[in-house]
Amino acid sequence: MIRELRTFVSAARRGTFAAAGQHVGLTQSAVSAQIKHLEDALGVKLFDRTGRSATLNCAGQRAVPLAEEILDIFSRMGTPDSANNFQGALRIGAIGSVQTGLLPQALVALKQRAPFIEVNLVPGVSLNLLSQVDAGELDLAIMIRPPFNLPKDLSVEVIAREPFVLIAARDVQGDDPLQLLREQPFVRYDRGSFGGRQVTQFLKEQHIHTQPALELDELDAIVKMVRSGLGVSLVPMAGMWLEHGSDVRVLRLENLTFFREIVLLSKYAQRQLPLFELFRACVMDVLDAAK
């Protein structure tokens, strides 16, 4: 029933079953089924349903703080009395921009709270990290959200949305991103990657035929190529290159902006472990501080 309570609280906080499903890694119908299971167990309706919409009713509003209290108690049941009681290893997979972005600060916080755990960091592209989590070779991964449905035993939580921007060398003239994409050589984000697929879809929607220059997957390397004058590129606002963003021109896409979603991926069983919850809390603290 803990799982249903988490889904209920997520739906209450986010306002819709669809948004709750996106947060907890379930389809809208699966969220609806869990809420129905919870209502049947309690013997009360928590939402008033009209057509395809569901609104939290009085019983649901009263239940939210109680559910949050139960979840808090459940979480504390598995939490050690002190950081020194955390033992074992945590196998973390991460894409390159996460390794040079939020992960260092999150790992510093983790070591401060649990100094005796061993962290094994595995770099990789999102598709490979997904396979490793699914195979049990990694405890979790921070990666780009896949553009397809995941196995049912995998949990995916969106933790960040990163807007794509156009970058160009400082001496490249022009302020129209679409025009620059048409006129300048294009340093392409690898089409085989999840983020690269989004770039390909954007170019297709805007009917833009680019002049190929290079194609690679590492964001910081792409920025270096652009900085050297090899062309322009579409990249997300993420990673180490932001610390040196003044070295390139950054043009916003305004109303054409598209995003890549960064997710925390694990198996559902893994999410219940205190060490996972501790690491997740460290990651969210870093993200909250950056807002």
Side-chain angles (χ1 to χ4, degrees):
M1 197 57 65
I2 292 296
R3 185 177 176 186
E4 285 80 358
L5 287 173
R6 284 200 178 100
T7 301
F8 165 63
V9 170
S10 181
R13 288 174 175 170
R14 285 160 180 78
T16 67
F17 288 2
Q22 190 174 46
H23 176 70
V24 300
L26 296 173
T27 64
Q28 183 173 344
S29 60
V31 170
S32 181
Q34 285 197 12
I35 298 297
K36 178 66 165 55
H37 186 201
L38 180 61
E39 289 177 329
D40 290 344
L42 295 174
V44 295
K45 296 294 184 183
L46 302 172
F47 290 88
D48 291 329
R49 295 168 174 77
T50 305
R52 300 183 66 179
S53 65
T55 304
L56 201 66
N57 60 24
C58 292
Q61 292 174 6
R62 184 177 66 85
V64 171
L66 297 174
E68 290 176 334
E69 183 178 352
I70 292 171
L71 291 173
D72 179 62
I73 293 171
F74 179 78
S75 176
R76 284 190 278 120
M77 285 174 64
T79 301
D81 294 332
S82 69
N84 292 343
N85 288 333
F86 279 106
Q87 302 291 335
L90 193 61
R91 301 167 299 173
I92 303 170
I95 58 175
S97 60
V98 168
Q99 294 176 60
T100 59
L102 72 90
L103 195 55
Q105 297 177 65
L107 291 179
V108 168
L110 180 65
K111 281 296 185 180
Q112 290 173 343
R113 301 184 195 182
F116 298 111
I117 68 164
E118 177 184 348
V119 175
N120 183 13
L121 179 59
V122 179
V125 297
S126 295
L127 185 59
N128 291 345
L129 295 176
L130 168 61
S131 298
Q132 288 173 283
V133 172
D134 191 30
E137 298 168 2
L138 292 174
D139 297 315
L140 60 98
I142 306 179
M143 50 176 271
I144 305 169
R145 183 171 188 164
F148 48 77
N149 293 329
L150 296 174
K152 293 183 179 180
D153 64 335
L154 292 184
S155 166
V156 59
E157 178 184 3
V158 178
I159 60 174
R161 297 179 76 239
E162 299 169 344
F164 276 79
V165 295
L166 183 132
I167 58 172
R170 299 298 301 175
D171 59 353
V172 172
Q173 301 298 311
D175 296 319
D176 184 344
L178 300 187
Q179 193 66 25
L180 289 175
L181 285 168
R182 293 186 177 97
E183 295 176 350
Q184 297 291 326
F186 188 52
V187 180
R188 183 185 280 273
Y189 191 176
D190 180 20
R191 277 171 283 199
S193 67
F194 295 158
R197 295 184 196 183
Q198 292 181 264
V199 170
T200 298
Q201 182 63 28
F202 174 81
L203 295 174
K204 181 178 180 181
E205 291 173 353
Q206 302 306 317
H207 307 289
I208 294 175
H209 298 284
T210 59
Q211 305 172 35
L214 288 170
E215 183 169 343
L216 58 165
D217 185 55
E218 175 55 51
L219 293 185
D220 293 326
I222 291 174
V223 177
K224 288 181 179 179
M225 300 300 176
V226 170
R227 186 185 298 127
S228 299
L230 289 172
V232 301
S233 187
L234 289 168
V235 295
M237 296 282 285
M240 186 179 293
W241 77 267
L242 294 178
E243 299 178 10
H244 310 284
S246 60
D247 292 347
V248 294
R249 295 185 62 209
V250 179
L251 283 73
R252 302 277 182 171
L253 300 177
E254 304 301 344
N255 60 320
L256 298 178
T257 301
F258 60 107
F259 300 81
R260 73 172 189 179
E261 293 183 326
I262 301 300
V263 300
L264 185 60
L265 179 80
S266 67
K267 293 198 172 184
Y268 276 105
Q270 191 70 30
R271 294 183 64 90
Q272 312 301 323
L273 301 179
L275 191 52
F276 177 94
E277 291 292 341
L278 178 63
F279 175 73
R280 179 190 177 279
C282 292
V283 169
M284 299 310 293
D285 287 346
V286 172
L287 291 171
D288 289 342
K291 292 179 180 178

